[in-house]
C-alpha cells in the first residue's frame, strides 16, 4: 500500500479519537505557538494536520490566516467538518508534502509527527524544498517527532527518531534552534510515547 492509500484508509476506517496520536486539545502545540510569539495576525500552516483540532482552536482564538496540508483528503474532511462554517475560512491542501511546492510563504510552519515518517533521503529533500518555499524568512518552525527513545513505528509505519541535534542536521543550514523539549504523549490506548519538540527560527529578516 502506498503512503497516500495508507493514510486515506486510516481516516476512513478509524475514529479520529481512537488513533494513537489523538489529543482532545493540542495543548503542547498551542503552548509552543504562544511561547515563541505567535499572534493571530500571523499565518500558520499545519503540515500533516490530519484531523487535529489545532486550526480549530486557533480560529477560536482569532487567527484567520490558517492552512492545513495532508496527504489524506479524508483527514481534511474530518477536520473541516468539525469546524462547521468556520472551516470555510481555512485553506485545505490535499498533497504529499515531499512533492508540494507552495505558492506563498507562511509565518509559522507546524509539524507534529509527520517529518518522522520520511525515512529516505529523497523524501526528506522534498520536504526541505517545500519548507524552503513555504516558510517566510524569519519564520518560526515548530516540529515534533518521536524522540530518540520514542517508538520505532507510528501508524504501523517505520519512523526516523530524532533528538534536537539530529533534527537540526536533517533540516540543514538556515535554521537557528531556539529551544527543544520533550513531551510524554499518552495515547488513547494507554501507552506513552516520547516526543522531541524543536523550535527553529528560519534565517533572514522577519517578514511578519
Ligand atoms: C501521526 S499523524 C499526525 C496528525 C496531526 N499532525 C496530529 O498531530 O494530530 C500523521 C499525519 O501526517 C499525514 N501524512 C503522512 N505522510 C504525509 C506526507 N508525505 N505528506 C502530507 N501528509 C502526510 C497523515 O495523513 C497524518 O494525518
Amino acid at each position: 500500500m502506498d503512503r497516500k492509500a495508507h493514510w486515506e484508509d486510516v481516516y476512513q476506517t478509524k475514529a479520529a479519537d481512537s488513533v494513537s496520536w489523538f489529543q482532545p486539545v493540542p495543548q503542547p502545540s498551542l503552548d509552543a505557538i504562544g511561547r515563541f510569539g505567535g499572534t493571530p495576525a500571523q499565518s500558520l500552516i499545519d503540515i500533516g494536520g490530519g484531523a487535529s483540532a489545532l486550526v480549530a482552536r486557533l480560529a477560536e482564538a482569532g487567527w484567520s490566516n490558517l492552512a492545513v496540508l495532508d496527504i489524506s483528503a479524508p483527514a481534511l474532511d474530518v477536520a473541516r467538518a468539525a469546524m462547521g462554517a468556520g472551516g470555510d475560512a481555512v485553506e485545505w491542501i490535499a498533497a504529499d508534502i515531499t512533492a508540494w511546492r507552495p505558492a506563498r510563504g507562511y509565518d509559522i510552519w507546524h509539524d507534529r509527527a509527520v517529518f518522522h515518517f520520511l525515512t529516505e533521503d529523497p523524501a526528506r529533500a522534498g520536504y526541505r524544498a517545500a519548507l524552503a518555499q513555504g516558510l517566510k524568512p524569519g519564520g518560526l518552525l515548530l516540529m515534533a517527532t518521536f524522540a530518540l527513545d520514542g517508538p520505532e513505528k507510528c501508524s504501523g509505519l517505520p519512523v526516523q527518531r530524532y533528538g534536537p541535534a539530529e533534527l537540526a542536521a536533517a533540516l540543514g543550514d538556515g535554521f537557528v534552534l531556539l529551544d527543544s523539549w520533550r513531551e510524554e504523549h499518552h495515547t488513547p490506548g494507554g501507552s506513552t510515547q516520547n516526543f522531541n519538540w524543536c523550535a527553529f527560527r528560519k534565517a533572514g529578516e522577519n517578514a511578519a
Side-chain angles (χ1 to χ4, degrees), residues 139-155:
L140 177 67
L141 167 60
L142 294 172
M143 190 175 280
T145 65
F146 281 171
L148 292 174
D149 59 354
E152 293 178 359
K153 286 191 170 187
C154 182
S155 189

